[in-house]
Amino acid sequence: MRTLTEEMADDFFFVHTSLVHGALKKCGVLRSNQNYDDLVQIGLLTLVKVYEQFPEDLCEEEYFYQFTGFAFQKIKWAVIDELRKYQLKKEREETVSEFFDDEAESSRDKNEDWIVWQLFPSMLDCLAPNEQIYLKETVLNQLSVTDIARKHKVSRKTVYQWKNRTALKLSHFKAVLTN
């Protein structure tokens, strides 16, 4: 097994990064996709793993082309796996995020909104500090998951975890408000 040294890294990525972008394009992932940068990183990590596992010498032309085909396929599979994970996460969040559904909020009358705002401090008391951050940023500042992640210098995955835990802990408030 070989390793990619720092001396070789620049040249290696210069030559092979196009495999990552090609695999993303083949999977239909555009630069406008919110997860594009994450998927590029996954592709690059997969590229390095494939390089380290590839048994033949890449200096020989025959093996170089075998490597590029092999690496492209592995990167494509890794991207597809990650896209599936994103889809599953999105589906789970949609079921959990009903509590934060804008349509449900807009259908409330002013009296119900007043009740919600009266309960807001109690809601915060039920939450851990990071979950409080999520609730405040979402409700008061109307920030997206990406904006919250940037503002608090954490990953989007972390913010999604805060969101899911918040929704679970506040589900009893939803039950009270909807009855």
Side-chain angles (χ1 to χ4, degrees), residues 81-99 157 160-161 163-164 167-168:
D81 285 345
E82 199 63 27
L83 289 171
R84 286 183 184 138
K85 289 178 189 175
Y86 289 145
Q87 183 63 32
L88 287 171
K89 183 191 292 184
K90 182 180 176 185
E91 290 169 4
R92 275 187 259 130
E93 287 170 4
E94 286 173 358
T95 58
V96 173
S97 67
E98 290 175 1
F99 183 80
K157 181 178 180 180
Y160 281 119
Q161 289 171 346
K163 178 180 180 178
N164 291 337
L168 289 172

Side-chain angles (χ1 to χ4, degrees), residues 1 12 21 39 54 64 70-71 79 99 101 112 128 134 143 161 172 174 176-177:
M1 186 167 125
F12 178 80
H21 295 286
L39 292 169
F54 194 73
F64 178 82
F70 180 67
V79 168
F99 183 80
D101 191 353
E112 289 174 332
Y134 171 77
L143 296 180
Q161 289 171 346
H172 64 282
K174 180 180 178 185
V176 169
L177 292 170

